Amino acid sequence: MKRTFQKILGLSLLTLASCSGPSQKVVAYDDEGYPLLTTGTLHDVSVRYGNREFVKDGSTEYQVIYDSTQKGAAQAAAYIVSNVYNATGAMMTSLDISQFDEDISRGDHYIIVGSSDLFDDAGKTMPDYKTLGIAGYYISSYGNNVFLMAHRLSGYQQGALTFLRHVVGYDMISEDTVIYERDGSVMPDMEIKERPDFDWAHPINNFTEKTKYGLGFSTLYSYIVPATENPKATPKTVHNVFNFLDPDLHCDASNTEMYHPEWFSDGREQLCYTAHGDKESLDLMVDTAFETVKKSVEYKTDSEMLNFTDNDVGNCCQCDACKASIEKDGGTISGAVIRFINRLDDKLQAYLQEEAEKTHSEKRTIHLQFFAYLSSLQAPTVSVEEDPTLKCNPDVSVMIAPLHANYTKTFYDKENAMYADTFETWSHYADHITAWLYETDYHHYIYPYNTYATMMKNYRFVKSKGASVMYNEGQRYNANVTCFGKLKEYLNSKAQFDVNANYTDYSEKFFTNYFKDAAPIMREYFEELTGWETYLESKPEVYGLGGGVYQEIGSKAEYWPKQMLVNWVDKMEEAYKTIEKYKTTDSSLYTTLSKHILIETMFPRFALCNLHGGTYAPEELRQMRLAFRKDAESIGMVEHMEHYFIDSVYATWGI
């Protein structure tokens, strides 16, 4: 018998539908004293449990009807069917609306996914796209029946997860751990108009499609993969300005028709957004870039954002014209970038309007997005009232990426005041904001990065400043991230859906279900691990650590005393013993739980092998390292730092 569970975490309020705009007024606080967001989100949820039967004795009268012409509806229907079966043993039949020619009455038993005809016949009104966006949905009861409606694929995904959450208590803890906290005996009355707090929620680590869907991350890639001006170039979704204006083409003096070195900074690291002060050349630069922009949007028709983002280097152009622009706009190159992107967007929006008129269709929504990153991180200090050319076009978006913030602290804390101000300031220059945040130490992937609680609050902060898209960069190639990476993935999924999600409640839920009998021991290890890292970072004058994404936390043995690491490995040996009983009673569960514990052993074992190797006899050390390598390969650990494969470590170990 599955226990019934009904709990609202954080706030569930009917609020403004808009997901972007100026800073919001805060009037409430969470249990740690951090401000909750009470406006600017849409969580209008009414669920009432009565005595309407859904599943009894492993069977149900309900059928699922879906409209396969609506992208995402068939997949949502299939996900509902499979999870109801997993939760209750009841197998519902499903039917495409094209094979269904009946009218429905309030006494029928249908779950209807995406049929606008049946929805209209029931006399219901769909919230508009501006309200729900790409990921919002409307769930509405009609007698015994339930409608699940959305405007886009992501909305059907999110709607299916919400339906299952309220009917069978569905929650994906990780890909191999899905729980059901209601027995499914009752079909509630539901009236839900809801929109995740971030329209696009990108996964932080290397996820399978199954994991992305089940955790509620965007399965449709939000960025248009660009065409390339140079056919020999590799298309990139970020750091991609050279896809549109390629220095290999325009800095070749033998190619006189295309020779425009003034379009690039000296050294050719970045674009020059002023064309070195040559207005005629700047016009041509915009026209040339637009040709590739146009090809890009023609190539990819499902996504809504096209990045035109600076290369991953810190320098901007320092020609006289750019220096003059920097001085004019208050010390930043961002003004020149905004003016260039606005001109490019003018051409893009005109083109999209022309195409809509040609095809007698609705104009596509495409946001042209630029970086606020490194040299362009700061917004202009001249106001848009003083200089209207600094206001981003309505469809232009800024991707704010504060690389050097301390992510072990929140943006509410004084250590990050400068970066908090960055989001606040940019909200006055751009109506659309993407937050690019960071979730790991890029020099030390296998070591802990203590952002478990802070990141959820940072989501809340950037949402309050108008961010509607979230990319929290973690480890893109490691399939399983040690130091409780699965906990981070779970917490991120909850905070991206509702920025008021409660860290304490969700972290407890994670440990209880992910580790089961081993939860108390693994929780104890987690508290010791995060407590020790907090201590290290609290004494920069002693240890030289500061909480940034490039801190050298894995560089010195003194940071991680040998006996502490040995104690943690021993602690997890005890954790294995707590699940021993499942070897005979539930071998599949035993395998799953063993893997969960194994993943967490990888950090202390790596630190022992890498930092304390000289304290072991040569053959003992060799066996430790061979065992680590075997286990790392079994869980898909391939990188030990950004852009560096772990094979390079094995080479230094001599294995």
Side-chain angles (χ1 to χ4, degrees), residues 29-288:
Y29 297 87
D30 65 15
D31 53 13
E32 296 179 78
Y34 287 91
L36 291 167
L37 188 64
T38 58
T39 60
T41 65
L42 179 62
H43 297 288
D44 182 7
V45 180
S46 174
V47 180
R48 299 188 305 276
Y49 294 92
N51 57 7
R52 181 183 296 112
E53 185 178 285
F54 178 45
V55 174
K56 183 177 181 180
D57 298 329
S59 64
T60 181
E61 292 185 61
Y62 277 84
Q63 294 177 281
V64 179
I65 302 171
Y66 62 90
D67 185 349
S68 59
T69 67
Q70 300 296 311
K71 288 185 178 180
Q75 186 176 9
Y79 204 77
I80 290 171
V81 169
S82 64
N83 279 276
V84 167
Y85 175 76
N86 292 340
T88 69
M91 175 56 73
M92 293 186 292
T93 59
S94 60
L95 192 67
D96 192 323
I97 189 64
S98 63
Q99 300 172 299
F100 184 83
D101 57 2
E102 302 174 24
D103 295 326
I104 64 169
S105 69
R106 298 178 68 88
D108 290 330
H109 295 81
Y110 295 116
I111 300 166
I112 303 156
V113 184
S115 173
S116 56
D117 287 342
L118 293 179
F119 184 80
D120 292 342
D121 289 346
K124 293 189 173 288
T125 301
M126 182 69 178
D128 61 19
Y129 183 81
K130 183 178 180 181
T131 300
L132 296 183
I134 59 172
Y137 48 90
Y138 180 37
I139 299 174
S140 182
S141 295
Y142 176 67
N144 295 328
N145 310 282
V146 181
F147 284 98
L148 193 171
M149 306 295 292
H151 292 288
R152 294 286 297 274
L153 180 152
S154 295
Y156 285 112
Q157 173 198 1
Q158 295 290 346
L161 300 182
T162 292
F163 174 87
L164 290 166
R165 188 159 54 245
H166 291 297
V167 177
V168 295
Y170 165 94
D171 199 4
M172 177 178 278
I173 307 298
S174 66
E175 180 170 353
D176 59 11
T177 305
V178 177
I179 63 173
Y180 304 98
E181 298 179 300
R182 296 190 65 85
D183 63 11
S185 60
V186 173
M187 176 64 76
D189 282 319
M190 292 181 280
E191 187 69 17
I192 302 173
K193 297 176 184 176
E194 198 161 24
R195 179 176 185 170
D197 288 351
F198 295 98
D199 286 337
W200 296 99
H202 298 96
I204 64 173
N205 293 321
N206 185 2
F207 283 3
T208 65
E209 291 302 310
K210 175 184 175 182
T211 307
K212 284 193 286 187
Y213 196 96
L215 281 174
F217 289 96
S218 301
T219 57
L220 178 66
Y221 195 57
S222 61
Y223 302 130
I224 295 171
V225 179
T228 59
E229 185 189 23
N230 185 347
K232 297 179 181 179
T234 301
K236 300 170 67 177
T237 53
V238 292
H239 302 307
N240 64 353
V241 288
F242 285 179
N243 282 161
F244 301 92
L245 295 163
D246 195 313
D248 289 343
L249 298 179
H250 299 295
C251 295
D252 181 358
S254 66
N255 191 351
T256 56
E257 291 185 5
M258 302 182 71
Y259 185 60
H260 288 285
E262 72 276 10
W263 292 354
F264 306 91
S265 63
D266 295 338
R268 301 174 188 171
E269 291 182 311
Q270 300 282 19
L271 293 183
C272 172
Y273 289 98
T274 66
H276 283 61
D278 186 330
K279 292 183 179 180
E280 184 176 338
S281 180
L282 182 60
D283 292 342
L284 182 60
M285 182 180 175
V286 172
D287 290 342
T288 304

Side-chain angles (χ1 to χ4, degrees), residues 333-572:
I333 194 62
S334 299
V337 178
I338 291 171
R339 295 183 187 98
F340 184 93
I341 294 293
N342 278 348
R343 292 187 61 183
L344 198 56
D345 180 67
D346 288 339
K347 290 183 171 292
L348 172 60
Q349 300 306 324
Y351 165 74
L352 295 174
Q353 183 61 43
E354 290 172 4
E355 290 299 298
E357 292 172 359
K358 285 180 186 177
T359 57
H360 304 288
S361 59
E362 187 176 345
K363 178 175 174 280
R364 281 181 68 185
T365 297
I366 296 181
H367 300 291
L368 194 60
Q369 182 163 254
F370 66 95
F371 246 146
Y373 176 67
L374 297 179
S375 61
S376 63
L377 177 63
Q378 300 305 321
T381 56
V382 176
S383 71
V384 294
E385 289 75 21
E386 295 173 88
D387 185 351
T389 67
L390 294 174
K391 177 67 175 179
C392 295
N393 283 1
D395 287 300
V396 166
S397 176
V398 58
M399 181 189 289
I400 304 173
L403 177 64
H404 297 300
N406 177 355
Y407 288 97
T408 67
K409 304 290 184 181
T410 76
F411 287 134
Y412 297 102
D413 296 331
K414 62 181 181 180
E415 290 89 341
N416 284 322
M418 178 178 74
Y419 302 106
D421 185 64
T422 297
F423 280 95
E424 170 66 33
T425 305
W426 270 112
S427 70
H428 300 289
Y429 293 87
D431 294 333
H432 297 279
I433 292 175
T434 290
W436 180 321
L437 307 182
Y438 299 88
E439 188 52 270
T440 196
D441 184 331
Y442 290 90
H443 282 173
H444 298 280
Y445 273 2
I446 304 176
Y447 288 78
Y449 192 51
N450 192 6
T451 59
Y452 307 93
T454 60
M455 193 52 60
M456 301 181 80
K457 297 172 180 63
N458 284 340
Y459 282 14
R460 195 184 305 162
F461 177 86
V462 300
K463 178 65 181 177
S464 76
K465 304 306 175 186
S468 59
V469 179
M470 171 60 69
Y471 176 48
N472 190 16
E473 184 181 355
Q475 299 178 23
R476 288 165 289 182
Y477 301 109
N478 286 334
N480 291 287
V481 177
T482 190
C483 297
F484 299 94
K486 296 299 181 185
L487 171 61
K488 287 187 177 183
E489 293 167 7
Y490 178 68
L491 295 176
N492 274 268
S493 74
K494 298 305 180 186
Q496 294 199 35
F497 180 80
D498 182 354
V499 294
N500 289 325
N502 185 282
Y503 166 74
T504 301
D505 289 343
Y506 277 123
S507 61
E508 186 62 34
K509 188 177 182 183
F510 173 86
F511 276 93
T512 299
N513 292 284
Y514 186 76
F515 292 112
K516 292 192 179 296
D517 301 68
I521 293 177
M522 298 306 294
R523 183 77 181 191
E524 184 178 318
Y525 166 52
F526 173 76
E527 297 294 347
E528 291 178 8
L529 178 68
T530 55
W532 177 251
E533 186 177 7
T534 299
Y535 169 76
L536 290 176
E537 292 167 352
S538 71
K539 296 186 176 298
E541 72 283 359
V542 177
Y543 298 107
L545 301 172
V549 298
Y550 295 115
Q551 67 175 352
E552 294 298 333
I553 199 162
S555 62
K556 296 181 181 180
E558 65 182 282
Y559 295 161
W560 303 101
K562 178 181 177 181
Q563 192 56 52
M564 181 173 67
L565 296 169
V566 170
N567 290 344
W568 285 343
V569 174
D570 290 344
K571 192 182 293 289
M572 281 179 275

